[in-house]
């Protein structure tokens, strides 16, 4: 199974912020949407990722003054990304190795989606449950 299949099941909207956005505006978007990270866009290109961890690190370092800084100063850059043809297992391995929870999906230099570790784990659990049910059905027929 590929990341493209995960994106097809998720829907297409990717919420993002521009590099010029304030950290406070980006944090408001995270809270309003109840999400953990946002791609930070520089025109059509993804410049970085702004996550809950970036907020935590910025406030620990700079205090409340971090809220007034541009998100570009606080984001994690460059972003680690995958293509839509990446396997779910490959993406999970990358996330585990790099200790990240969100991956932009980039095709031909353009952001086409955004997946979280939760999206990928949910898919894996559904797949394992389907395989277990198929095995139970097979055993009952024998």
């Amino acid at each position: 199974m590929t990341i493209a299949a995960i994106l097809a099941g998720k829907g297409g909207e990717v919420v993002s912020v521009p590099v010029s956005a304030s950290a406070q505006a980006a944090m408001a978007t995270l809270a309003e949407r109840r999400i953990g990270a946002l791609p930070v866009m520089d025109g059509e290109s993804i410049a970085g990722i702004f996550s809950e961890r970036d907020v935590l690190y910025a406030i620990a370092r700079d205090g409340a003054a971090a809220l007034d800084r541009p998100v570009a100063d606080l984001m994690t850059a460059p972003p680690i990304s995958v293509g839509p043809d990446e396997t779910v297992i490959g993406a999970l391995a990358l996330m585990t190795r790099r200790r990240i929870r969100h991956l932009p999906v980039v095709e031909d230099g353009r952001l086409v989606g955004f997946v979280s570790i939760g999206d990928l784990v949910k898919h894996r659990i559904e797949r394992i449950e389907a395989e277990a049910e198929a095995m139970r059905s097979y055993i009952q027929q024998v």
Side-chain angles (χ1 to χ4, degrees), residues 16-18 20-32 38 50 67-69 71:
S16 64
V17 294
S20 60
S22 70
Q24 188 167 8
M27 285 186 268
T29 301
L30 290 175
E32 176 185 305
L38 292 163
F50 183 72
L67 301 175
D68 298 323
R69 295 180 61 195
V71 72

Side-chain angles (χ1 to χ4, degrees), residues 36-140:
L38 292 163
V40 180
M41 303 301 292
D42 186 4
E44 294 293 313
S45 300
I46 182 164
I49 305 284
F50 183 72
S51 71
E52 298 162 325
R53 288 180 185 178
D54 296 317
V55 173
L56 180 70
Y57 298 153
I59 291 175
R61 185 181 58 237
D62 301 328
L67 301 175
D68 298 323
R69 295 180 61 195
V71 72
D73 290 352
L74 309 178
M75 69 184 182
T76 301
I80 297 166
S81 64
V82 294
D85 294 334
E86 179 66 58
T87 65
V88 170
I89 295 297
L92 281 168
L94 175 64
M95 294 169 105
T96 301
R97 190 172 57 254
R98 298 300 301 262
R99 300 181 51 128
I100 56 177
R101 298 179 296 173
H102 301 88
L103 279 174
V105 183
V106 177
E107 184 172 36
D108 298 325
R110 193 173 64 80
L111 181 68
V112 295
F114 199 64
V115 293
S116 71
I117 198 162
D119 296 330
L120 304 184
V121 168
K122 177 182 176 227
H123 166 75
R124 288 294 299 152
I125 289 170
E126 288 170 354
R127 181 103 184 240
I128 290 167
E129 287 175 351
E131 289 172 1
E133 181 56 35
M135 186 66 76
R136 281 191 288 273
S137 294
Y138 176 77
I139 291 170
Q140 289 175 351

